[in-house]
Amino acid sequence: MRKKLVIIGLGVLFLLSILVNGSPFIFGDGYGYFHNAKTLVTTGSFLELKEPEYFPYTGHAVTEQNGKFVTSYPPGSSILLWPFLTVSKFFDSGTIYTDYYKAFDGHSVADGLAVLLAASFYAFLSLVIIYKILKSLGFNSKISLISVVVVYIGSYALSYTEQFASYSHIYEIFAVSTLLYFLIQFGKKFEYKYTLFAGAAAGLLVLIRPVDVVIVIPILFFVFAYRNTKSSILFILGAIPSALIFFLYNTINFGNPLSTGYGSSEKLFDFTKFNLVNLLFSDVRGWYIYSPVMLIGSIGLLIYAWRNRPSFLIYLAPCILLILTYSFWPNWWAGDSLGQRFFLVLIPFMAIGIAVSLRGAQRQSNLIQTIAIFFIATLTIYSLTITILYRITPTDELYKTNAVTAEKYPEVTPAERFTPFDILNYHKELIDQGEFKFPNKLIQGFNGGRSLLLLALGQTYPIAKLEKISDLTFIIHLIPNNINSPVISNVRIGIQQSSNYYVFTFKNVDLSKTSEIQLDCSIESDCVIKNSINEFTKEVLSTTEITSKQIELSSDLKIDFEAGENIKLVDYKLKNL
């Protein structure tokens, strides 16, 4: 009864966390996975010939090649996401010029919620499976439950469930957890159906992220070496459907079953540099620096593999191979992300290591048990603290206050150079300033879009969105925030054309409803407003000064906005301002 109450309590906390922190927005790499799933929903295949409405927001994730809109990201996680987006399509409405969510991020709120729900579902399912793995390996309920919680929080999987829900990492965790579970079940019951299921999970894992094939290779070798021919054949048969989907996807989009598009557009490996130390110990995304509890998990896994030699190929070798593989990855810091996300897929293995460490401490004196639990709890709380603070930190600004990392890691993009210590120091300085604006600064510093709670409370800004009619004619759409909050503001539009700078100021604009302003700069050396939503004034200044929040419309035409303190200029190049 007590165990059930604990599990129910953790489930309730999980749901509350999604409500408070969950963000129904897609960012960065997530658009590649979303595009594949959305294409399946809209066309019934992996082929998209029509430009999607969200295409201008996708950045590097989706490109146009030979009349097709393609992404180099594999389709594994997209297949798991597909049923959720199938449901959400019935709730899609509005356009990028009329709907707040589409104007801000290119997709509907229904699609954003579907992505968040899918990640939460597979995360919860993964945690249940990892718990069952630990129980199957002989760990008691208490150790198994603590280990699952520790690895989930200590690895930043929480952020990739709720904040970066569109990324593939939660789906990786699900696939590798399922693979290990069925392998263990086969070892216990020797029923051949489990090797078939394990093979299907292995195929799905590689289909989600092809580099994870290095996890499957030693496991496949174990199946060949320690089991009979029938189990080996069934394992391979289970993986064949995913292989066929992979080849079909590549053929449709890139004309060759072995061409992924990713490899042809970017250098995946650089064998002239070995980044193992950076991956593990760098303050810029080092695994053991961001997630020190994983060091405990790694040591525990080493002990487990040493005591159970045959298990080396199943549990330890996959971790070693994956870490070594990413050591040759040029972008070893994994871009603008939290923690070492490349190693999130190792969560089930680390859970075993944590469980071994806890069981070892349990066999010692009460004092040692207390010290061990306190140590593991402290390391986990440290990562949880970074998780929470990262959510409310403008990390793209932190590089300006840390010149040391620029010298240490010149290959890292400046805005991506932040460290956990930069995050902690940023908030320490805010507190030290003793300003009453502290809560406001936290809301302004949100990463990954507003959470469900803040969206429900209307803690968003109206949006100014630009639509190009011709080379020198535009419509400026003013879109209210997500709950149509009553906002009255002066709207200031600055236009720079050649050496002239025009300033149009509209008085007392009602930003609780959608409105339009047509701007025509086709007249020589002048820009005019074709229709007026309110009384406005016009100034002509001889200056080239323009704010950083600008859109370059042509070689000699730029635009920027000011509207008191509560409007955002949104364009696919500037949507995160």
Side-chain angles (χ1 to χ4, degrees):
M1 182 65 179
R2 185 179 176 183
K3 184 180 74 173
K4 288 183 178 179
L5 288 175
V6 171
I7 293 174
I8 291 172
L10 289 173
V12 171
L13 285 174
F14 184 65
L15 291 174
L16 287 174
S17 176
I18 293 170
L19 174 64
V20 173
N21 186 49
S23 173
F25 295 101
I26 298 168
F27 296 101
D29 292 352
Y31 254 117
Y33 305 111
F34 171 78
H35 173 71
N36 280 332
K38 194 68 175 174
T39 300
L40 277 175
V41 171
T42 55
T43 71
S45 73
F46 290 119
L47 180 63
E48 179 59 86
L49 300 175
K50 182 181 177 182
E51 180 179 317
E53 188 176 26
Y54 55 80
F55 176 65
Y57 294 79
T58 59
H60 67 280
V62 182
T63 58
E64 183 180 4
Q65 297 180 22
N66 301 320
K68 304 174 187 176
F69 292 88
V70 300
T71 177
S72 55
Y73 296 85
S77 59
S78 306
I79 292 171
L80 296 177
L81 177 58
W82 167 74
F84 293 85
L85 290 180
T86 298
V87 175
S88 70
K89 75 176 182 178
F90 295 106
F91 303 94
D92 194 347
S93 63
T95 71
I96 58 174
Y97 302 117
T98 61
D99 177 74
Y100 166 82
Y101 294 95
K102 287 189 175 181
F104 178 76
D105 215 35
H107 60 80
S108 69
V109 65
D111 282 348
L113 287 170
V115 171
L116 178 60
L117 179 61
S120 302
F121 172 77
Y122 287 109
F124 180 77
L125 199 55
S126 299
L127 296 179
V128 172
I129 295 171
I130 295 171
Y131 176 81
K132 288 183 174 294
I133 287 172
L134 297 177
K135 291 284 289 179
S136 297
L137 292 176
F139 298 101
N140 65 37
S141 299
K142 182 179 179 181
I143 286 177
S144 298
L145 192 58
I146 292 174
S147 300
V148 168
V149 172
V150 165
V151 294
Y152 183 66
I153 293 176
S155 65
Y156 302 94
L158 182 65
S159 290
Y160 292 91
T161 303
E162 299 176 352
Q163 184 181 351
F164 302 108
S166 55
Y167 283 49
S168 66
H169 303 296
I170 295 301
Y171 302 97
E172 280 185 281
I173 297 169
F174 168 70
V176 76
S177 300
T178 305
L179 168 59
L180 292 180
Y181 175 76
F182 284 128
L183 281 176
I184 292 168
Q185 293 307 304
F186 179 68
K188 292 178 66 176
K189 301 179 181 179
F190 210 76
E191 295 180 16
Y192 286 108
K193 64 180 180 181
Y194 290 118
T195 55
L196 181 67
F197 296 155
L204 176 62
L205 176 63
V206 177
L207 188 61
I208 291 170
R209 200 170 182 88
V211 72
D212 289 338
V213 71
V214 299
I215 293 176
V216 175
I217 289 172
I219 292 175
L220 182 60
F221 183 77
F222 173 84
V223 172
F224 283 154
Y226 291 95
R227 302 300 177 192
N228 57 32
T229 304
K230 185 176 180 180
S231 64
S232 303
I233 292 174
L234 286 173
F235 187 92
I236 294 173
L237 285 175
I240 285 177
S242 291
L244 293 177
I245 292 173
F246 183 69
F247 295 142
L248 176 65
Y249 172 79
N250 292 337
T251 301
I252 289 173
N253 284 288
F254 309 111
N256 187 317
L258 298 178
S259 175
T260 64
Y262 194 73
S264 63
S265 63
E266 186 175 335
K267 188 176 182 181
L268 292 180
F269 296 100
D270 183 356
F271 294 105
T272 65
K273 295 179 181 178
F274 188 56
N275 294 305
L276 178 62
V277 174
N278 284 336
L279 275 174
L280 299 180
F281 299 106
S282 162
D283 50 353
V284 178
R285 245 70 96 231
W287 195 30
Y288 295 144
I289 302 300
Y290 267 89
S291 303
V293 77
M294 294 304 158
L295 183 57
I296 307 297
S298 300
I299 293 171
L301 192 63
L302 283 168
I303 294 171
Y304 187 80
W306 178 260
R307 292 174 179 171
N308 305 272
R309 301 297 177 83
S311 67
F312 170 81
L313 289 172
I314 299 179
Y315 303 119
L316 187 58
C319 299
I320 294 173
L321 282 178
L322 188 79
I323 292 170
L324 290 176
T325 299
Y326 276 117
S327 294
F328 295 103
W329 203 270
N331 183 18
W332 55 266
W333 63 96
D336 186 6
S337 56
L338 180 61
Q340 186 42 262
R341 65 185 177 95
F342 289 153
F343 297 156
L344 281 166
V345 69
L346 300 181
I347 278 181
F349 303 98
M350 292 300 106
I352 297 172
I354 295 293
V356 169
S357 301
L358 287 172
R359 186 167 64 181
Q362 193 178 55
R363 294 169 178 171
Q364 306 302 315
S365 66
N366 289 336
L367 178 61
I368 293 178
Q369 285 186 49
T370 303
I371 292 173
I373 292 175
F374 176 79
F375 187 57
I376 290 174
T378 300
L379 297 181
T380 305
I381 291 171
Y382 158 80
S383 294
L384 179 61
T385 302
I386 300 300
T387 299
I388 295 170
L389 294 182
Y390 173 82
R391 188 73 166 94
I392 48 179
T393 304
T395 53
D396 57 338
E397 298 291 324
L398 296 185
Y399 74 94
K400 297 176 181 177
T401 60
N402 190 343
V404 177
T405 53
E407 296 180 10
K408 288 171 65 178
Y409 312 108
E411 72 274 24
V412 180
T413 305
E416 299 171 355
R417 267 186 213 133
F418 60 89
T419 74
F421 313 111
D422 292 331
I423 293 173
L424 291 169
N425 190 58
Y426 170 81
H427 289 278
K428 179 182 179 298
E429 289 181 355
L430 280 186
I431 294 171
D432 289 344
Q433 289 172 8
E435 296 183 4
F436 290 107
K437 295 179 180 178
F438 181 61
N440 231 9
K441 287 182 178 291
L442 298 185
I443 292 177
Q444 292 173 5
F446 252 62
N447 263 309
R450 297 294 193 258
S451 68
L452 295 178
L453 179 61
L454 289 180
L455 288 170
L457 294 174
Q459 293 297 310
T460 56
Y461 298 104
I463 288 173
K465 181 82 175 106
L466 214 61
E467 180 184 11
K468 183 176 180 179
I469 303 301
S470 65
D471 286 344
L472 295 173
T473 304
F474 306 87
I475 293 179
I476 300 160
H477 298 267
L478 300 177
I479 305 162
N481 79 341
N482 63 304
I483 63 169
N484 295 75
S485 295
V487 177
I488 303 296
S489 178
N490 294 334
V491 176
R492 177 183 178 276
I493 303 172
I495 307 294
Q496 179 180 324
Q497 186 177 33
S498 300
S499 60
N500 291 327
Y501 187 64
Y502 306 95
V503 179
F504 297 92
T505 303
F506 295 81
K507 302 290 186 181
N508 301 318
V509 177
D510 182 0
L511 295 174
S512 65
K513 58 185 180 182
T514 302
S515 53
E516 298 176 356
I517 301 170
Q518 185 171 333
L519 175 69
D520 188 354
C521 293
S522 60
I523 303 170
E524 186 176 354
S525 301
D526 195 11
C527 289
V528 298
I529 298 296
K530 288 291 188 180
N531 66 313
S532 174
I533 57 172
N534 280 66
E535 177 187 352
F536 70 92
T537 59
K538 176 183 177 181
E539 299 175 81
V540 183
L541 308 176
S542 297
T543 177
T544 58
E545 181 181 354
I546 221 78
T547 72
S548 60
K549 297 181 180 181
Q550 65 176 264
I551 297 177
E552 186 169 333
L553 305 176
S554 66
S555 59
D556 66 345
L557 188 63
K558 298 179 177 66
I559 185 169
D560 72 287
F561 284 75
E562 288 181 14
E565 66 284 349
N566 50 14
I567 194 169
K568 282 184 178 290
L569 169 63
V570 173
D571 184 76
Y572 63 90
K573 296 178 182 177
L574 300 165
K575 67 188 179 73
N576 291 325
L577 285 174

